[in-house]
Amino acid sequence: MTRRYTRRQFLGASAAAGLGGAGGCASPLDSAGRSTAGEETREPTERETDSAGSETTPEEMARRDPVDVRGALYVPARAWNTYQMWADYDESVIERDLGYAERLNLNAVRTWVSYERWREDPDALEREIDHFLTAAEDRGMRAILGLFESVGQEPTEENLTNTDPWTAPPVQSPSSRVMQNEYRWDDPREYVRWFMQRHRDDDRLLAVEVMNEPGWLPDMKRFAGGMFETLGEERGSVPLTVGSTSMANNAEYVDWGCDILQFHYNFPDDTGVYRDLLSEADQLSTDLDMPAWLTEWQRVADFGWGGRDTVDQWQPDYASLAPVIHEYGMGNFFWSLMVKPAYVRYMRKRGVVNGIFHEDGAVWNREDARAVKAMSGDAEFEADERREWPEWAAEIERRAFDTEDDGGEDEGGG
């Protein structure tokens, strides 16, 4: 991809599409921080039953054209952050889990590499990345690999290695001290060069993502822009992108040289909001002749952002959104492949669990699996169904639903 766009061109196209600041990710700040573009009151269409989802069945979905990019977010079930994914890398677990993705006819997977793991053992990380990409390719999938992460707590030794189900956090990468001081960027730039020199022309990759959700935060955005500059200097044939909190953030990223527009929206209040958002994103993609992918989504839910109580809509329900996404043919990645408590502690302590597959291959909700698989043109799927928390996460279920939430820092993110 060699065509480049400027911020002015993006803003012009997004204004024509009516996009504004629509979108947003799962964050306790959503109600205050996200735009309400496209959220005006309107009557539901004939394809919508109510705010909980769509009448469209997986069998009806399968009669539509397949979606080109069909993916999942992947972090192993028992890894609480991406450092743990690589530091405790288990080839048999990776191959098993990607085999589950293959059962859904997925052709893409999105996850993150770990800068902290690279600093610790770059040779081991090189072997692990190569195994992961080959295992995905062998199962018909290409990967988006992100290099840095904005979501989470500081990457202290305690946070990186914490495996307590109630307190283990996602981990920001790199530390705030590095991000806020440009004179400390030499090491992260070397990490970017290290990765790109090995993978800039790697056809097992769908894209390289510089950072997940730098969003509106000045320090993170400045750091991500600096790292994207290094990515550009090492550019090969693999497209470059940014994990974008909303479509509006891409106004910055197209100036950097971004090849693919991303946006995240995990928990819309109803399908009408989603229908408007996807229509506008699709129009923007057409106007700019650039791919636009929904790289984080989960379910219709009204959580009451900023609250601390457990929520009624705590279970996975991908079938509530999959038909709308398929209708627009939008390339997409759902969070997450594996059944696990929510990535961020704010959502985890409210009792939220997500994912399709348990570690033994049973699914939480068979209808979810069929709806996701239907995006490939095939809705046939059979597996044992078990709507139960994994035993290793039982402490979270007990504490979230049987006792008062004891608080904890908000991390944002999906």
Side-chain angles (χ1 to χ4, degrees):
M1 295 185 177
T2 58
R3 188 172 181 182
R4 296 286 175 265
Y5 293 91
T6 66
R7 178 185 178 88
R8 180 179 303 229
Q9 288 170 309
F10 177 88
L11 292 175
S14 62
L19 193 60
C25 67
S27 166
L29 302 179
D30 246 16
S31 60
R34 79 179 183 208
S35 166
T36 57
E39 296 184 25
E40 65 276 6
T41 302
R42 65 164 178 70
E43 292 298 314
T45 71
E46 63 181 9
R47 304 184 71 91
E48 298 166 27
T49 55
D50 54 30
S51 63
S54 168
E55 291 180 335
T56 309
T57 67
E59 289 73 22
E60 290 169 329
M61 289 174 62
R63 290 196 286 270
R64 298 175 185 157
D65 291 337
V67 177
D68 289 340
V69 176
R70 308 178 305 277
L73 274 292
Y74 175 67
V75 177
R78 304 199 200 195
W80 299 103
N81 55 59
T82 52
Y83 168 81
Q84 291 178 16
M85 171 178 172
W86 300 102
D88 302 323
Y89 194 83
D90 185 326
E91 293 186 357
S92 64
V93 168
I94 299 299
E95 292 171 11
R96 178 199 68 194
D97 293 353
L98 293 180
Y100 296 153
E102 185 180 20
R103 292 179 60 193
L104 298 177
N105 286 352
L106 300 185
N107 61 13
V109 62
R110 176 175 174 243
T111 192
W112 298 273
V113 188
S114 170
Y115 168 65
E116 285 70 30
R117 175 61 172 163
W118 174 79
R119 295 189 69 200
E120 180 180 86
D121 193 340
D123 292 338
L125 182 60
E126 181 174 6
R127 292 191 299 272
E128 292 152 5
I129 292 172
D130 185 66
H131 174 266
F132 182 86
L133 293 176
T134 296
E137 181 183 47
D138 288 347
R139 291 157 182 81
M141 285 169 281
R142 298 169 70 198
I144 297 179
L145 292 185
L147 301 184
F148 300 102
E149 168 67 285
S150 79
V151 175
Q153 299 300 300
E154 293 291 334
T156 63
E157 179 70 17
E158 179 180 0
N159 285 335
L160 288 168
T161 59
N162 186 351
T163 56
D164 183 294
W166 189 247
T167 62
V171 176
Q172 171 188 309
S173 176
S175 67
S176 297
R177 188 170 71 119
V178 171
M179 277 196 255
Q180 291 167 1
N181 297 285
E182 192 167 347
Y183 68 87
R184 299 183 185 276
W185 289 4
D186 287 351
D187 204 38
R189 287 190 192 277
E190 184 57 33
Y191 163 64
V192 172
R193 294 187 188 99
W194 173 89
F195 182 87
M196 291 297 285
Q197 287 165 7
R198 288 159 177 77
H199 299 290
R200 61 186 163 206
D201 295 311
D202 191 335
D203 60 11
R204 297 172 297 179
L205 280 170
L206 195 59
V208 177
E209 176 182 300
V210 68
M211 190 177 206
N212 181 49
E213 297 192 355
W216 313 101
L217 304 172
D219 289 335
M220 288 184 179
K221 188 167 65 174
R222 190 169 64 92
F223 173 80
M227 295 305 107
F228 200 102
E229 180 181 23
T230 303
L231 275 180
E233 291 168 356
E234 300 289 338
R235 181 185 289 274
S237 60
V238 176
L240 307 181
T241 187
V242 185
S244 186
T245 311
S246 75
M247 186 60 81
N249 293 122
N250 286 287
E252 298 274 354
Y253 309 151
V254 294
D255 262 350
W256 297 354
C258 188
D259 298 309
I260 297 166
L261 306 176
Q262 292 191 46
F263 62 107
H264 300 165
Y265 205 164
N266 282 284
F267 300 111
D269 293 344
D270 58 63
T271 54
V273 173
Y274 233 67
R275 191 175 301 276
D276 293 338
L277 174 63
L278 295 179
S279 176
E280 292 157 355
D282 185 58
Q283 185 62 54
L284 182 64
S285 174
T286 298
D287 291 345
L288 289 178
D289 191 24
M290 291 181 72
W293 295 339
L294 172 64
T295 51
E296 287 185 22
W297 65 274
Q298 293 191 47
R299 59 161 295 162
V300 172
D302 185 3
F303 286 151
W305 296 107
R308 293 286 180 184
D309 296 333
T310 51
V311 296
D312 294 332
Q313 298 158 312
W314 56 269
Q315 299 188 45
D317 187 8
Y318 302 104
S320 66
L321 284 179
V324 180
I325 298 169
H326 193 179
E327 179 183 345
Y328 285 91
M330 184 67 61
N332 67 91
F333 296 75
F334 66 89
W335 188 301
S336 68
L337 178 65
M338 304 305 295
V339 170
K340 56 191 298 161
Y343 183 61
V344 297
R345 291 180 300 182
Y346 168 75
M347 299 299 286
R348 198 184 309 162
K349 292 180 179 184
R350 299 189 76 187
V352 174
V353 64
N354 47 52
I356 289 186
F357 286 99
H358 289 280
E359 290 177 298
D360 65 359
V363 295
W364 185 283
N365 186 333
R366 199 178 293 113
E367 195 70 5
D368 282 351
R370 289 175 177 155
V372 169
K373 188 179 181 185
M375 293 192 199
S376 71
D378 177 6
E380 299 237 351
F381 182 87
E382 290 299 329
D384 291 338
E385 181 177 271
R386 188 169 69 251
R387 301 190 188 191
E388 297 175 0
W389 284 69
E391 289 185 9
W392 50 267
E395 178 188 355
I396 299 175
E397 181 185 24
R398 177 181 59 80
R399 295 184 66 171
F401 290 97
D402 293 348
T403 66
E404 292 184 2
D405 178 21
D406 67 358
E409 303 89 337
D410 296 337
E411 290 115 352

